[in-house]
């Protein structure tokens, strides 16, 4: 593979991988495509040579904070080319960087400073460690980021694995791979190594596949391949991947955990339809990434298998006492990519090869076709969501905290059995495990048992623990954290975790106000995108300007949408009472409703069914309190009829009744939301919204102008409900929420300013109120405020629907005494009805959940 001429000068026996030293051989081909432009292999080779010269010829241990950037890649290649062992750590995890820096005392540290600039910190000119000549790379094992236990990889390991992958994937010079996985992850690093070896291009990005910008970049760069872990396919489903136009896509690779056979079959068929291949692969960090792959033509017929060994590697099965059978046993791999061994202390860096073959810990069987299938795990460790967890470490952790427990892996769930009684806090057990091993709560199932299961011999029965399986089982009386409890109370959800966000839990405009004000009061700061952030992220301290010293007054802000809702409902009620005349509030609220629909329900990560489900829940929160109130007052007044009770008056009439039209706004909002959710439930529309999030609502708004201006002359033939006439305003609000650039904001503003005037003939001030509120919504995200103002505005905004419903019956009772008193009474009564309605809705939801 390597010739004597490849030996590094001054380092006897050490060789660096060819892909790191022969970059210039690929000449003017594009090596890297970055947000700042392209870099050819020749230019990359020159930058690598400059960095290698700076690192010098004397071998030192280099800690590199990995990132999908040109700077990080150049530093990685330069260190390898010059023979410096690289300790590669996640650049986005300060705790891991600090932990490994303290544990291994690197001679050189390379990474980004707080301002984002890359810097090289040379701690010493000669290494403080004895470094084995073959040592090239140190990586954390899967699931142990920040742990002092590292995998020692040699130059031969890196070269052999890159060559093998390039062979079976048939990587070509014309290929361009997107960096969908982090560089410090062995799978992500193998993509880099194998493509550089082949003279292919790398599209350097840290964008998620759920980000529309990723696909724009991928298409523009003529991307041909990207790597995926099982969770990536969940994101692909949500983004409507099946209908994306990717003309240059040639293959998708999958590793990092088991992908369900039905998903393998689905994507294999999708690839066959669209002309690309799916490579299902199997590997571990200890094998420098890959050990097996499933040839694409077998993916549809053998989706449950991991395929065959990679070129240069081999498998054999060792008998296992818990898994009898001639063709079943622990999977053992041998090949030139097997690690040198583990390192748990700096002195281990001097060791040579201590591992000859890799015992994977997976139980496999060899099929009659010569393919390998993983059928289980040995008791040594469990693989959960791609992370390897040692059960004995979990048991030891819990023992240190006073719990007697057994642990085993079942599919993608870590099952923990704890000996205890009714007072045992299962929630605390789960938090200890998730906090230590980086697992999401849904992946840890805690079962409290009177005693732990044992075999007749008295040994722990891990198979019995594995058989418990199931979802986490928290104690009924466990107390969640403050923010988790806050989310659970306001959104009436029992499944809130630290990883939940307001949007993921189905929050809508009615609960948004209450939640945002409570969060600001609790946290002292509230980022603009808080509704899409997880609870865990919200806890992270922000460099807020509002971190005042003792005795100072904290600056407060009020979101423009909340301010407009509060102002609009006061304008509506005051104008109806004739305390003042500032109309246009109801129509402004329709634009705000469209804005909120897009913000809370049309996030890229929400799949189509989830969007529809959350949308229907929001409609129910409008319709049910409305029907309840109208049914309550109907027997006591002649103002309304049965058409009002079923919210169909604007459709069925009679249309000459002024009082019966009191609820036009509620009906219009309901019809518009039903139409919008029905539209978004269609696959073609859902895909269009994800690809063209701004253009779609602008197109709908343009279609809405047909009824706004009655361009088809429909009013002369039959009655047009108000919802159809004002729908364009709702669509413009939707577009405003999706306007991400100045150009888009200017476009949606121009559309509103051009179409709102004249909607109310002879009432230019009314048009101006609506237009001014819309412009404010588009261009000003928040307004300076005070704590008390926020409280009042929040209560009014969150109760605006209920105030609108009830004020028609309240103000006539007091209007003769004082208009201002009638206004105040209407607002207070509506706020009271809001509290009653929310409590009733939560109780109804609880009854439904119990059923």
């Amino acid at each position: 593979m390597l010739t004597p001429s490849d030996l590094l000068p001054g380092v006897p026996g050490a060789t660096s991988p060819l892909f790191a030293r022969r970059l210039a051989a690929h000449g003017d081909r594009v090596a890297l495509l970055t947000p700042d432009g392209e870099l050819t292999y020749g230019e990359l080779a020159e930058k690598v040579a400059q960095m290698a010269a700076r690192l010098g010829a004397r071998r030192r241990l280099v800690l590199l904070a990995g990132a999908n950037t040109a700077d990080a890649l150049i530093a990685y290649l330069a260190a390898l080319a010059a023979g410096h062992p690289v300790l590669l750590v996640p650049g986005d995890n300060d705790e891991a960087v600090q932990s490994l820096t303290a544990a291994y005392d690197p001679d050189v540290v390379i990474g980004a400073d707080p301002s984002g600039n890359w810097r090289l910190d040379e701690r010493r000119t000669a290494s403080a460690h004895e470094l084995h000549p073959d040592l090239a790379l140190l990586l954390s094992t899967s699931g142990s980021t920040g742990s002092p236990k590292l995998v020692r990889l040699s130059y031969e390991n890196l070269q052999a694995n890159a060559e093998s992958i390039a062979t079976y994937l048939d990587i070509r010079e014309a290929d361009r791979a997107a960096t969908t996985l982090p560089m410090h992850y062995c799978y992500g690093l193998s993509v880099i190594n194998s493509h550089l070896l082949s003279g292919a291009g790398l599209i350097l990005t840290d964008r998620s596949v759920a980000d529309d910008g990723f696909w724009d970049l991928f298409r523009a760069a003529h991307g041909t391949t990207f790597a995926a872990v099982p969770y990536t396919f969940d994101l692909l489903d949500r983004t409507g991947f099946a209908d994306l136009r990717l003309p240059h896509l040639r293959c998708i690779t999958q590793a990092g955990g088991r992908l369900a056979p039905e998903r393998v079959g689905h994507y294999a068929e999708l690839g066959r339809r669209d002309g690309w291949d799916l490579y299902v692969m199997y590997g571990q960090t200890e094998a420098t990434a890959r050990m097996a792959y499933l040839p694409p033509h077998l993916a549809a017929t053998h989706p449950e298998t991991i395929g065959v060994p990679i070129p240069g590697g081999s498998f054999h099965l060792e008998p296992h006492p818990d898994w009898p059978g001639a063709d079943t046993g622990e999977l053992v791999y041998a090949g030139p990519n097997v690690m040198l061994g583990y390192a748990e202390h700096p002195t281990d860096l001097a060791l040579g090869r201590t591992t000859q073959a890799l015992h994977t810990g997976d139980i496999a069987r060899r099929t009659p076709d010569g393919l390998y299938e993983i059928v289980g795990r040995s008791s040594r460790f469990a693989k959960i969501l791609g992370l390897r967890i040692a059960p004995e470490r979990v048991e030891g952790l819990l023992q240190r905290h006073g719990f007697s427990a057994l642990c085993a892996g079942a599919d993608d769930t870590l099952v923990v059995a704890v000996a205890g009684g009714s007072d045992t806090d299962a929630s605390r057990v789960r938090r200890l495990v998730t906090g230590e091993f980086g697992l999401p709560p849904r992946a840890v199932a805690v079962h409290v048992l009177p005693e732990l299961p044992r075999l007749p011999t008295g040994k722990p029965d891990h198979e019995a623990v594995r058989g418990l399986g199931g979802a986490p089982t928290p104690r009924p009386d466990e107390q969640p954290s403050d923010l988790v409890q806050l989310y659970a109370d306001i959104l009436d959800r029992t499944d809130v975790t630290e990883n939940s966000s307001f949007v993921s839990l189905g929050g809508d405009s009615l609960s948004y106000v209450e939640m945002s004000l409570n969060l600001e009061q609790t946290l002292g700061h509230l980022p603009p995108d808080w509704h899409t952030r997880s609870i865990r992220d919200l806890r992270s301290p922000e460099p807020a300007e509002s971190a005042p010293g003792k005795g100072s007054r904290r600056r407060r802000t009020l979101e423009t949408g909340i301010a407009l809702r509060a102002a609009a409902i006061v304008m509506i009620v005051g104008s109806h009472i004739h305390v003042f005349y500032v109309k246009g509030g109801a129509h402004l609220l329709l634009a705000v409703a469209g804005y909120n629909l897009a913000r809370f329900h049309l996030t890229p990560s929400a799949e189509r069914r989830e969007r529809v489900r959350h949308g229907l829940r929001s409609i129910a929160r409008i319709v049910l309190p409305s029907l309840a109130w109208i049914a309550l007052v109907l027997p006591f007044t002649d103002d309304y009829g049965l058409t009002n009770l079923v919210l169909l008056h604007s459709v069925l009439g009679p249309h000459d009744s002024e009082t019966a039209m009191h609820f036009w706004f509620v009906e219009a909002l309901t019809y518009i939301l039903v139409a919008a959710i029905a539209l978004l439930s269609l696959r073609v529309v859902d895909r269009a919204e994800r690809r063209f999030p701004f253009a779609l609502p602008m197109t709908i708004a343009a279609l809405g102008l047909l009824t706004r201006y009655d361009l088809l002359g429909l009013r002369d033939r039959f009655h047009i409900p108000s919802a159809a006439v004002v729908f364009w305003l709702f669509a413009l609000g939707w577009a405003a929420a999706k306007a991400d650039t100045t150009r888009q904001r200017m476009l949606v503003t121009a559309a509103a300013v051009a179409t709102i005037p004249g909607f109310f003939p002879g009432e230019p001030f009314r048009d101006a109120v609506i237009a001014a509120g819309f412009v404010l919504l588009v261009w000003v995200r928040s307004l300076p405020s005070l704590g008390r103002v926020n409280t009042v505005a929040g209560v009014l905004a969150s109760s605006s629907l209920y105030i609108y419903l009830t004020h028609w019956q309240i103000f006539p009772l007091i209007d003769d005494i004082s208009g201002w008193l009638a206004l105040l009474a209407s607002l207070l009564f509506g706020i009271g009805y809001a509290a009653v309605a929310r409590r009733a809705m939560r109780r109804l939801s609880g009854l439904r959940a119990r059923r």
Side-chain angles (χ1 to χ4, degrees):
M1 183 188 309
L2 300 178
T3 66
S5 62
D6 295 318
L7 294 177
L8 288 174
V11 186
T15 59
S16 61
L18 297 179
F19 64 78
R21 288 180 292 112
R22 295 187 176 176
L23 300 170
H26 300 298
D28 293 332
R29 297 199 59 81
V30 174
L32 309 180
L33 296 96
T34 74
D36 298 325
E38 298 179 351
L39 206 64
T40 67
Y41 270 95
E43 293 167 336
L44 176 61
E46 184 177 347
K47 291 180 178 293
V48 168
Q50 291 172 354
M51 176 61 78
R54 185 174 177 185
L55 289 172
R58 299 181 67 180
R59 298 185 82 212
R60 293 181 290 177
L61 179 62
V62 176
L63 184 144
L64 172 61
N68 291 341
T69 64
D71 288 327
L73 185 56
I74 290 167
Y76 165 70
L77 294 172
L80 287 183
H84 302 283
V86 178
L87 171 52
L88 191 56
V89 299
D92 57 355
N93 188 331
D94 291 339
E95 185 177 346
V97 173
Q98 294 170 9
S99 173
L100 289 169
T101 299
Y104 282 90
D105 186 23
D107 306 307
V108 181
V109 176
I110 305 176
D113 62 21
S115 62
N117 298 317
W118 276 77
R119 55 180 296 180
L120 187 150
D121 178 17
E122 296 188 77
R123 296 180 159 199
R124 53 185 72 92
T125 57
S127 182
H129 312 289
E130 183 181 349
L131 304 172
H132 191 276
D134 293 337
L135 181 62
L137 184 65
L138 296 161
L139 291 177
S140 294
T141 60
S142 300
S144 64
T145 299
S147 166
K149 184 175 182 179
L150 302 174
V151 171
R152 294 182 292 116
L153 299 174
S154 69
Y155 297 104
E156 183 188 20
N157 291 155
L158 297 178
Q159 181 69 20
N161 205 234
E163 287 180 351
S164 182
I165 293 171
T167 299
Y168 73 75
L169 290 183
D170 187 24
I171 300 176
R172 310 161 188 173
E173 288 187 342
D175 280 326
R176 290 185 173 182
T179 55
T180 47
L181 300 172
M183 179 186 183
H184 67 268
Y185 177 31
C186 70
Y187 182 14
L189 190 62
S190 73
V191 174
I192 292 173
N193 294 345
S194 57
H195 281 76
L196 291 177
L197 175 72
S198 306
L202 293 170
I203 306 169
L204 292 183
T205 178
D206 58 2
R207 289 178 180 266
S208 165
V209 297
D211 187 339
D212 291 337
F214 172 85
W215 297 112
D216 293 338
L217 175 64
F218 193 80
R219 275 188 290 266
H222 293 183
T224 62
T225 182
F226 62 89
V229 295
Y231 179 61
T232 308
F233 291 92
D234 294 336
L235 298 179
L236 292 177
D237 289 342
R238 296 177 184 177
T239 56
F241 173 77
D243 297 289
L244 289 180
R245 283 191 66 257
L246 302 171
H248 299 92
L249 180 62
R250 193 172 68 81
C251 72
I252 297 176
T253 62
Q254 181 271 319
R258 181 177 183 268
L259 187 64
E262 59 272 17
R263 305 293 300 285
V264 173
H266 168 72
Y267 274 89
E269 176 58 28
L270 192 61
R272 188 197 63 77
R273 184 197 75 181
D274 293 340
W276 51 265
D277 292 325
L278 174 67
Y279 284 86
V280 175
M281 307 187 299
Y282 168 80
Q284 292 178 3
T285 310
E286 288 86 342
T288 326
R290 304 278 68 81
M291 290 182 282
Y293 75 103
L294 180 62
H297 68 278
L298 298 177
T301 54
H302 298 81
E304 71 284 354
T305 70
I306 60 170
V308 297
I310 65 173
S314 64
F315 285 133
H316 73 269
L317 300 174
E318 287 195 359
H320 192 283
D322 296 334
W323 298 85
D327 294 325
T328 304
E330 182 180 5
L331 190 65
V332 180
Y333 175 80
N337 53 314
V338 173
M339 66 175 178
L340 297 173
Y342 291 111
E344 298 189 61
H345 187 273
T347 56
D348 294 335
L349 304 183
L351 297 177
R353 179 168 294 280
T354 58
T355 302
Q356 304 302 323
L358 180 60
H359 288 71
T360 66
D362 285 318
I363 304 299
R365 75 178 185 94
R366 192 175 187 272
T367 71
D369 301 310
L371 305 177
Y372 288 85
E373 178 187 358
I374 304 298
V375 295
R377 299 287 303 165
S378 72
S379 60
R380 263 199 299 275
F381 56 83
K383 197 160 190 176
I384 310 298
L385 300 179
L387 303 179
R388 283 191 295 138
I389 310 295
E392 62 268 24
R393 287 189 61 198
V394 178
E395 294 165 3
L397 167 73
L398 295 177
Q399 185 176 19
R400 292 195 298 273
H401 287 273
F403 294 99
S404 179
L406 293 177
C407 176
D411 295 326
D412 270 342
T413 301
L414 188 70
V415 185
V416 180
V418 180
S422 58
D423 59 342
T424 301
D425 190 349
S427 175
R428 180 166 178 256
V429 173
R430 186 174 57 197
R431 287 196 298 271
L432 287 170
V433 175
T434 57
E436 176 72 15
F437 297 97
L439 291 169
R442 65 180 174 82
V444 179
V446 178
H447 297 267
V448 179
L449 306 176
E451 58 182 7
L452 298 179
R454 301 281 177 181
L455 295 170
T457 59
K459 294 182 178 180
D461 190 350
H462 286 94
E463 279 303 309
V465 174
R466 185 179 290 109
L468 294 172
T473 53
R475 300 296 308 173
D477 56 347
E478 71 175 288
Q479 295 298 316
S481 66
D482 51 350
L483 289 188
V484 170
Q485 185 65 60
L486 179 64
Y487 274 65
D489 290 344
I490 293 179
L491 298 179
D492 191 28
R493 298 286 294 258
T494 59
D495 56 345
V496 184
T497 70
E498 293 284 335
N499 296 317
S500 302
S501 69
F502 179 80
V503 168
S504 71
L505 293 170
D508 56 19
S509 60
L510 293 176
S511 52
Y512 177 81
V513 179
E514 183 181 5
M515 181 64 77
S516 64
L517 295 177
N518 275 278
L519 282 177
E520 188 182 24
Q521 185 175 7
T522 301
L523 299 174
H525 68 278
L526 203 58
D529 60 343
W530 71 266
H531 56 290
T532 61
R533 291 196 186 190
S534 68
I535 295 175
R536 190 187 310 279
D537 287 344
L538 287 176
R539 295 184 189 281
S540 301
E542 300 236 342
E545 297 177 5
S546 58
K550 188 174 181 180
S552 64
R553 297 185 63 183
R554 187 171 61 199
R555 292 178 56 193
R556 302 293 292 271
T557 59
L558 180 63
E559 283 197 37
T560 302
I562 298 176
L564 290 176
R565 288 171 64 184
I569 193 61
V570 174
M571 287 160 45
I572 291 168
V573 178
S575 297
H576 289 163
I577 301 174
H578 301 298
V579 172
F580 46 74
Y581 191 87
V582 185
K583 289 198 169 183
H587 292 78
L588 179 57
L589 284 178
L590 288 173
V592 175
Y595 185 86
N596 288 335
L597 172 80
R599 286 188 73 196
F600 307 139
H601 299 318
L602 305 187
T603 55
S605 60
E607 61 181 7
R608 179 172 57 90
R609 291 182 180 178
E610 185 180 358
R611 289 178 167 186
V612 173
R613 186 170 62 251
H614 290 169
L616 292 177
R617 186 182 295 121
S618 295
I619 293 171
R621 294 183 65 186
I622 295 171
V623 171
L624 294 181
S626 301
L627 296 182
W629 178 254
I630 296 172
L632 180 65
V633 302
L634 191 62
F636 304 102
T637 180
D638 296 328
D639 291 341
Y640 312 126
L642 291 177
T643 56
N644 293 110
L645 182 59
V646 291
L647 296 181
L648 286 173
H649 180 80
S650 61
V651 176
L652 302 178
H655 305 299
D656 56 353
S657 171
E658 184 176 344
T659 56
M661 289 298 293
H662 283 171
F663 302 112
W664 77 267
F665 171 76
V666 178
E667 293 188 14
L669 180 59
T670 301
Y671 300 158
I672 289 172
L673 286 175
V674 168
I677 298 303
L679 198 62
L680 290 164
S681 69
L682 303 175
R683 289 182 183 274
V684 63
V685 178
D686 180 72
R687 291 192 294 265
E689 193 282 329
R690 296 177 192 276
R691 291 185 63 187
F692 310 106
F694 177 74
L696 178 67
M698 287 297 288
T699 302
I700 294 174
L703 293 175
L705 295 179
L706 294 175
T707 50
R708 183 262 183 260
Y709 290 107
D710 192 24
L711 298 178
L712 302 178
L714 300 178
R715 294 178 190 172
D716 294 334
R717 289 177 246 173
F718 47 80
H719 173 74
I720 301 179
S722 300
V725 178
V726 298
F727 187 74
W728 110 96
L729 267 177
F730 177 90
L732 284 179
W734 173 355
K738 293 296 184 179
D740 294 329
T741 65
T742 301
R743 181 182 177 185
Q744 290 177 342
R745 292 192 183 102
M746 291 178 66
L747 183 59
V748 73
T749 302
V753 171
T755 56
I756 292 174
F759 186 71
F760 295 101
E763 296 186 73
F765 182 70
R766 191 172 185 177
D767 292 338
V769 168
I770 302 172
F774 189 90
V775 171
L776 201 63
L777 185 67
V778 173
W779 293 98
V780 182
R781 297 299 184 188
S782 61
L783 302 167
S785 182
L786 298 172
R788 292 182 180 179
V789 174
N790 280 11
T791 301
V792 173
V795 171
L796 289 173
S798 61
S799 305
S800 55
L801 170 69
Y802 310 97
I803 294 171
Y804 183 91
L805 279 171
T806 60
H807 83 284
W808 297 108
Q809 282 68 54
I810 302 304
F811 77 78
L813 303 176
I814 312 173
D815 193 21
D816 292 338
I817 302 174
S818 167
W820 287 102
L821 184 60
L823 172 60
L824 180 61
S826 298
L827 298 177
L828 292 176
F829 188 90
I831 292 169
Y833 181 61
V836 173
R838 291 193 194 104
R839 182 171 297 180
M841 291 288 287
R842 288 171 183 169
R843 181 165 297 181
L844 183 64
S845 176
L847 290 173
R848 181 168 153 237
R850 283 195 290 273
R851 285 201 198 96

